[in-house]
Amino acid sequence: MPRFAPFSVVAVAGGLVAILAGCTADDPTPLPTATSSTTSAAGGRLTIQYLADDGFTGLAFVEEGGAVLGKTRAGQTTCTLEPAAYTALVEAAATITKQDQALPTAGAGDGATVPTLGNDVGAVAVLDPRVVGVADTVNQLVADIAAPAASRQVCT
């Protein structure tokens, strides 16, 4: 199946924001599947988006149970979140609604970004008061995705 590359942000039906990309060569890796938009975060996939230092939009998909698939410019990383970190992310994501449609933004300082945490219906910046308690976990997960396995802290 053709894969898509450089990202574009567009508004789609219902006020949702979609990230689209240009077509590239066939890639045998299965595409992630979306669940119903009425599913709660506790039973669905969590998504973390961030801007990398090189301008690439990185993604991390956190599946039920804490399995993580991270996508960076350098490739893909898989790991498993510590149970306490996974539980904290799920609890925070349960506060996100379909009206929440944040995108990752640049933060203060060189190379700083403000990632988003999303569930099956929406996404908020990790500085949002409802999820700020897991900002350190999200930021460490982003760092772990780019780090060698031996250096990871919350996702091994």
Side-chain angles (χ1 to χ4, degrees):
M1 169 184 249
R3 286 300 174 107
F4 298 100
F7 292 97
S8 301
V9 177
V10 296
V12 294
L16 297 175
V17 173
I19 296 181
L20 302 177
C23 189
T24 63
D26 286 350
D27 182 350
T29 308
L31 290 172
T33 57
T35 57
S36 167
S37 63
T38 59
T39 305
S40 71
R45 170 185 294 154
L46 304 180
T47 305
I48 295 169
Q49 273 190 304
Y50 61 94
L51 299 174
D53 289 341
D54 60 5
F56 180 79
T57 302
L59 294 168
F61 300 105
V62 181
E63 299 293 339
E64 190 169 349
V68 175
L69 170 63
K71 295 189 176 213
T72 67
R73 185 178 300 274
Q76 296 183 1
T77 299
T78 57
C79 57
T80 303
L81 272 173
E82 294 176 346
Y86 173 69
T87 300
L89 290 178
V90 168
E91 289 173 0
T95 66
I96 299 169
T97 68
K98 67 181 180 180
Q99 287 78 27
D100 299 315
Q101 299 298 321
L103 294 172
T105 59
D110 290 338
T113 68
V114 179
T116 62
L117 172 63
N119 59 20
D120 292 334
V121 297
V124 297
V126 296
L127 299 179
D128 184 289
R130 294 170 290 169
V131 301
V132 73
V134 295
D136 289 342
T137 300
V138 170
N139 288 324
Q140 186 58 56
L141 176 57
V142 168
D144 284 358
I145 289 169
S151 302
R152 296 180 188 154
Q153 296 179 21
V154 297
C155 198
T156 56

